[in-house]
Amino acid sequence: MLHLVFQSPVEAAVLERIETGDVAVFLENAVLRLLKNGLLSASLTQLLSTNRLCVLSEDMAVRGIAVDELVEGIDIIDYAELVALTVNNHVIQSWS
């Protein structure tokens, strides 16, 4: 399943609904919750052991977030990769 997370702040309940093997893409202001110094850092690090977590590069650029500010292991993707994820995952859940 593909999770599109727009929600900001990202609630822990959303992260708990991401099952092993799912992919989550954080978009818009949700990218602000992916910082390694943020409150969700430990939860995201744990989730990365079983899931792919992604952030849209354009959303990072708009918000002035550098790669080294993110929790280590989060994939940075572009719009083409986002489209590919939507094609490859027939079930998509949006969290806003």
Side-chain angles (χ1 to χ4, degrees), residues 63-85:
R63 287 155 184 84
I65 299 172
V67 174
D68 63 348
E69 293 179 281
L70 293 177
V71 170
E72 189 172 331
I74 293 179
D75 291 334
I76 301 169
I77 62 171
D78 59 19
Y79 281 110
E81 291 169 296
L82 177 60
V83 170
L85 284 171

Side-chain angles (χ1 to χ4, degrees), residues 7-93:
Q7 185 182 70
S8 181
V10 177
E11 295 180 17
V14 170
L15 298 179
E16 292 169 3
R17 288 180 172 83
I18 299 173
E19 296 183 11
T20 299
D22 287 353
V23 178
V25 179
F26 293 81
L27 303 154
E28 298 178 357
N29 283 337
V31 303
L32 298 170
R33 303 302 176 222
L34 302 178
L35 301 176
K36 62 182 166 188
N37 294 330
L39 296 174
L40 296 177
S41 179
S43 298
L44 294 169
T45 299
Q46 182 178 0
L47 200 55
L48 279 164
S49 67
T50 58
N51 300 84
R52 182 177 181 202
L53 305 181
C54 307
V55 60
L56 197 60
S57 60
E58 288 82 355
D59 284 337
M60 286 178 58
V62 166
R63 287 155 184 84
I65 299 172
V67 174
D68 63 348
E69 293 179 281
L70 293 177
V71 170
E72 189 172 331
I74 293 179
D75 291 334
I76 301 169
I77 62 171
D78 59 19
Y79 281 110
E81 291 169 296
L82 177 60
V83 170
L85 284 171
T86 62
V87 169
N88 294 327
N89 290 277
H90 298 278
V91 179
I92 300 172
Q93 174 67 51

